[in-house]
Amino acid sequence: MLAIDLTGKRALVAGIADDAGFGFAIAKNLAEAGASVCAGTWPPAYGIFTKLIERGKIDESLALGSGGKLSFERIYALDADYDTLEAVPAEVRENRRYKEHADFTIQGVANRMVADFGATPVDIVVHSLANGPEVKNPLLQTSRAGYLGAIGASAYSFVSMVQRFGPLLRPGGSFLCLTYMASERVIPGYGGGMSSAKAALESDVRVLAYEAGRGFDARVNCISAGPWASRAASAIGFIGDMIDYTTRNAALPQKIHANDVGATAAFLSSALASAITGTTIYVDKGYHAMGMAVDK
Ligand code: NAD
């Protein structure tokens, strides 16, 4: 039987702060395939997430099909807006949600993984995070700071992760990030430069696939997911409409589920996908292929 087997692999999934988003579903699917999973959690959400786990509030979501329970090997505080501690402004470092964490930068998490697990601590690195401070503003009303903030948190953070985790990957390693088709088609309301950030991210996936392929023998891929009512997507304000419209007009007229993305992520991270790199794969029930709406 051909199966996705990630036994003995370790993953870092960056961008998990509850059980409702793609990051959680990806972590679960990687664990179902046998990987051990570490999480990277945004410091302002760290306390809430770890308490949810400690108090058993998400036990049902953590249950694995195999009978066990997803248990994160480590939960690292991670703010992907920052590459090194020297780059963090003093007011952020002193913020009460940050100061309890030693080094929450991308380099800081890389260093902690080396300290915790040795020189090559990880096989699979997943970037499942995005932030656009002005996402509710149309592009025409987006400030330079808002635009650059969206690109920094949502696109450059992936470049930085590949830079810093590339040398730490074991042979056959894989990077994965998540995008949305607003990068290539107009989705009114997905503003603040987030569409630009996703376009940059997809372009970077191609270039990084080449550079990390040659430099680290690693693969770099991207999933373009259909709409899903995660916490981040719900904050944009019209996720229900996006889901309804996409469902009515997709090739397969069904809603996507976060697990659809999780399963694809497990496949892309596995040896079954060892010849796939530099690619953006749609997990959207075929919506991207449609050229005309059918919900007349
Ligand atoms: P989510 O809320 O579950 O995940 C986003 C995560 O990013 C959160 O955990 C948040 O704490 C974290 N985050 C924000 N800023 C951060 C920072 N500076 N450093 C570290 N973490 C930070 O939402 P999601 O929708 O599952 O998003 C995951 C990925 O999927 C994102 O890249 C998103 O753009 C992408 N995506 C989502 C949809 C959708 O409809 N939900 C569709 C396509 C792509």
Side-chain angles (χ1 to χ4, degrees):
M1 196 176 73
L2 195 63
I4 296 175
D5 183 7
L6 299 176
T7 312
K9 307 280 185 194
R10 178 177 294 112
L12 170 68
V13 182
I16 309 181
D18 57 32
D19 58 350
F22 287 138
F24 187 88
I26 291 169
K28 228 178 128 174
N29 277 268
L30 294 174
E32 295 278 13
S36 58
V37 184
C38 299
T41 300
W42 197 40
Y46 186 93
I48 299 168
F49 182 50
T50 50
K51 277 193 191 73
L52 280 177
I53 294 177
E54 279 160 28
R55 293 179 183 165
K57 301 274 187 204
I58 57 169
D59 274 356
E60 217 174 294
S61 308
L62 290 166
L64 297 175
S66 53
K69 182 175 147 186
L70 168 61
S71 169
F72 291 103
E73 208 176 5
R74 295 283 188 288
I75 301 178
Y76 297 110
L78 167 68
D79 191 326
D81 250 332
Y82 304 111
D83 304 315
T84 61
L85 210 49
E86 296 74 54
V88 183
E91 67 267 24
V92 174
R93 258 192 275 178
E94 279 146 28
N95 180 291
R96 69 182 173 84
R97 294 226 163 85
Y98 283 77
K99 67 180 174 197
E100 64 182 288
H101 304 292
D103 188 345
F104 47 79
T105 66
I106 296 174
Q107 186 61 50
V109 173
N111 294 345
R112 285 190 59 190
M113 288 196 82
V114 169
D116 289 346
F117 303 112
T120 51
V122 66
D123 303 276
I124 298 159
V125 176
V126 180
H127 174 284
S128 181
L129 61 94
N131 195 16
E134 296 181 16
V135 66
K136 291 189 175 177
N137 290 1
L139 190 56
L140 260 179
Q141 283 149 36
T142 296
S143 71
R144 183 182 292 267
Y147 184 95
L148 294 178
I151 298 261
S154 312
Y156 184 76
S157 54
F158 186 59
V159 177
S160 178
M161 285 180 71
V162 176
Q163 258 175 29
R164 291 160 202 280
F165 283 93
L168 312 186
L169 241 54
R170 297 179 192 139
S174 146
F175 289 96
L176 181 69
C177 60
L178 277 96
T179 189
Y180 180 49
M181 72 173 305
S183 59
E184 50 183 330
R185 300 276 187 275
V186 181
I187 306 287
Y190 193 82
M194 277 306 299
S195 54
S196 327
K198 291 304 193 189
L201 185 67
E202 289 171 34
S203 176
D204 295 343
V205 163
R206 292 184 283 273
V207 179
L208 291 170
Y210 167 66
E211 295 184 2
R214 302 299 173 101
F216 312 125
D217 190 26
R219 296 180 298 107
V220 183
N221 289 298
C222 187
I223 291 175
S224 184
W228 170 254
S230 63
R231 182 182 287 255
S234 302
I236 302 174
F238 59 103
I239 186 67
D241 293 345
M242 287 161 89
I243 292 171
D244 289 348
Y245 181 85
T246 310
T247 306
R248 287 197 305 271
N249 290 292
L252 297 169
Q254 302 142 8
K255 291 180 189 177
I256 69 141
H257 191 280
N259 269 326
D260 299 326
V261 170
T264 306
F267 162 69
L268 285 172
S269 305
S270 77
L272 293 176
S274 59
I276 302 177
T277 192
T279 294
T280 292
I281 291 189
Y282 295 93
V283 179
D284 68 346
K285 303 276 182 183
Y287 175 75
H288 70 280
M290 299 297 292
M292 190 172 128
V294 291
D295 62 340
K296 297 189 182 79

